[in-house]
Amino acid sequence: MSSALTDLCRHPIVQAPMAGGASCPPLAAAVSEAGGLGFLAAGYKTADGMYQDVKQVRGLTSQPFGVNLFMPQPGTADPAAVEVYRHQLAGEAAWYETPLGDPDSGRDDGYEAKLAILLDDPVPVVSFTFGCPTRDVLDSFAKAGTFTVVTVTSPDEAQAAQWAGADAVCVQGIEAGGHQGTHRDDPAFDGAGIGLLSLIALVRETVQLPIIAAGGLMRGGQIAGALAAGAVAGQLGTAFLVCPESGANALHKQAMTNPLFVRTELTRAFSGRPARGLVNRFMREHGPYAPAAYPEVHHLTSGLRKAAAKAGDPQGMALWAGQGHRMARELPAGQLVEVLAAEADSARAALALGGSR
């Protein structure tokens, strides 16, 4: 691992920031305490909500942790397409007896206020998703002593992150659960993402930055494979989603290994941006018609998703999951870090032994 990342965590294991509640303070703290790098997800939270989470993590661990921010989104959505989708969701609103949300509820996710807090009271790591910050922002974090990471899905995005002054990139393969962290949301490229191992190799030949690998990693052997390909650490989301410390809804956790949900797909149905989740009724019925409109569609469906969860109906929830979801293990987060680290060490030793023959 690069020296900066080595100082942050004992094991090359990063817990992915999962917005919507899963990446809560108890989970981040448990991962960091066990020698991994825990992460809070500031996405969809208010600036004060993020700050309260940071305070809680600091009360639970003295180890380094990170905070992930969503970049503000450009206003490129077609209002007419959003209105058509609103009409298509009218039956869902009636079924769950809840109104549809206001698609114009805001698109910057409180970005500037969150930056101000994190620069005034710095945390060890800050990562960014859905775009790349300006050089001024990244320079400000460097002066504050914060290590910065930009999520990328292509070599071009990695190059933009390097030019802007990021300390590392989180390379996200198409296998990853949840939202694809593309910098520009172009429907013409839906489903055209690159697999993780190929993407690591492409990015490694494009930039000089340390690479954190994300996408479908569920076992230590896979982490070892990503390290052998050129990454310095593996980032896992779905693997930690089922831990008891995770704030994910119980129905979401159960769905990971429920035989009823056999596969994942990328969909715009819930948020208007491509995101990988377990295929359920809502995705099948609305995915083909959802417009490229984030965060408008996210705001529109927010109440529906909450109502479905309250009704105990996973068929109406956004069940974000990576392609390896069936390998989820319901272990305490600290124990999972230890198991993953031991598996990765064994796999790396086997690779080394094989190479020496």
Side-chain angles (χ1 to χ4, degrees):
M1 296 178 72
S2 72
S3 59
L5 282 172
T6 303
D7 292 341
L8 291 169
C9 50
R10 197 166 69 250
H11 302 303
I13 298 168
V14 179
Q15 166 247 312
M18 297 171 280
S23 296
C24 57
L27 178 62
V31 171
S32 290
E33 275 290 298
L37 182 65
F39 252 97
L40 292 172
Y44 309 140
K45 286 185 173 288
T46 63
D48 183 63
M50 177 198 74
Y51 181 59
Q52 296 304 322
D53 279 357
V54 168
K55 283 174 59 178
Q56 191 176 341
V57 171
R58 285 175 171 154
L60 293 170
T61 182
S62 60
Q63 299 303 310
F65 64 96
V67 175
N68 175 258
L69 302 180
F70 284 172
M71 293 297 297
Q73 298 300 291
T76 56
D78 178 1
V82 175
E83 187 60 24
V84 168
Y85 195 54
R86 171 191 281 279
H87 286 296
Q88 290 175 336
L89 294 177
E92 299 284 349
W95 176 255
Y96 290 114
E97 299 179 337
T98 191
L100 295 171
D102 177 7
D104 300 316
S105 297
R107 59 177 54 262
D108 70 352
D109 201 51
Y111 179 70
E112 293 294 340
K114 290 171 183 175
L115 286 182
I117 289 171
L118 293 171
L119 288 169
D120 180 62
D121 190 4
V123 298
V125 187
V126 172
S127 69
F128 301 86
T129 300
F130 299 155
C132 182
T134 63
R135 174 168 284 278
D136 285 347
V137 167
L138 292 173
D139 284 349
S140 295
F141 277 113
K143 289 173 186 172
T146 296
F147 189 89
T148 53
V149 183
V150 173
T151 304
V152 303
T153 62
S154 71
D156 286 346
E157 291 176 355
Q159 198 164 59
Q162 180 169 271
W163 286 341
D167 292 314
V169 286
C170 177
V171 170
Q172 186 194 44
I174 192 72
E175 306 94 334
H179 285 94
Q180 291 287 295
T182 51
H183 293 190
R184 194 165 70 91
D185 184 15
D186 187 345
F189 293 98
D190 279 7
I194 304 170
L196 180 58
L197 290 180
S198 294
L199 189 56
I200 292 171
L202 287 166
V203 170
R204 194 180 182 200
E205 292 191 3
T206 305
V207 301
Q208 303 301 312
L209 297 176
I211 293 170
I212 298 170
L217 304 178
M218 300 292 291
R219 295 285 187 267
Q222 292 173 292
I223 296 172
L227 299 181
V232 297
Q235 178 172 287
L236 297 79
T238 305
F240 285 105
L241 187 142
V242 299
C243 292
E245 296 93 341
S246 159
N249 184 283
L251 293 170
H252 193 169
K253 294 183 180 185
Q254 293 161 10
M256 291 301 106
T257 52
N258 185 334
L260 188 65
F261 302 103
V262 297
R263 61 191 175 90
T264 65
E265 279 185 9
L266 288 169
T267 186
R268 292 180 181 270
F270 296 101
S271 72
R273 232 184 190 274
R276 183 174 297 283
L278 300 175
V279 177
N280 61 3
R281 178 194 60 77
F282 195 101
M283 192 188 295
R284 285 192 299 269
E285 293 182 3
H286 302 293
Y289 312 105
Y294 176 88
E296 288 85 351
V297 172
H298 162 75
H299 295 315
L300 199 61
T301 67
S302 179
L304 293 178
R305 289 177 274 128
K306 290 174 183 173
K310 188 175 180 180
D313 181 13
Q315 296 295 341
M317 297 168 60
L319 303 173
W320 303 137
Q323 288 184 339
H325 65 94
R326 298 302 294 272
M327 294 188 283
R329 298 178 281 200
E330 296 181 38
L331 298 173
Q335 185 180 344
L336 180 57
V337 170
E338 293 169 3
V339 169
L340 289 166
E343 290 173 346
D345 287 345
S346 294
R348 295 174 80 180
L351 284 170
L353 183 61
S356 64
R357 288 177 180 171

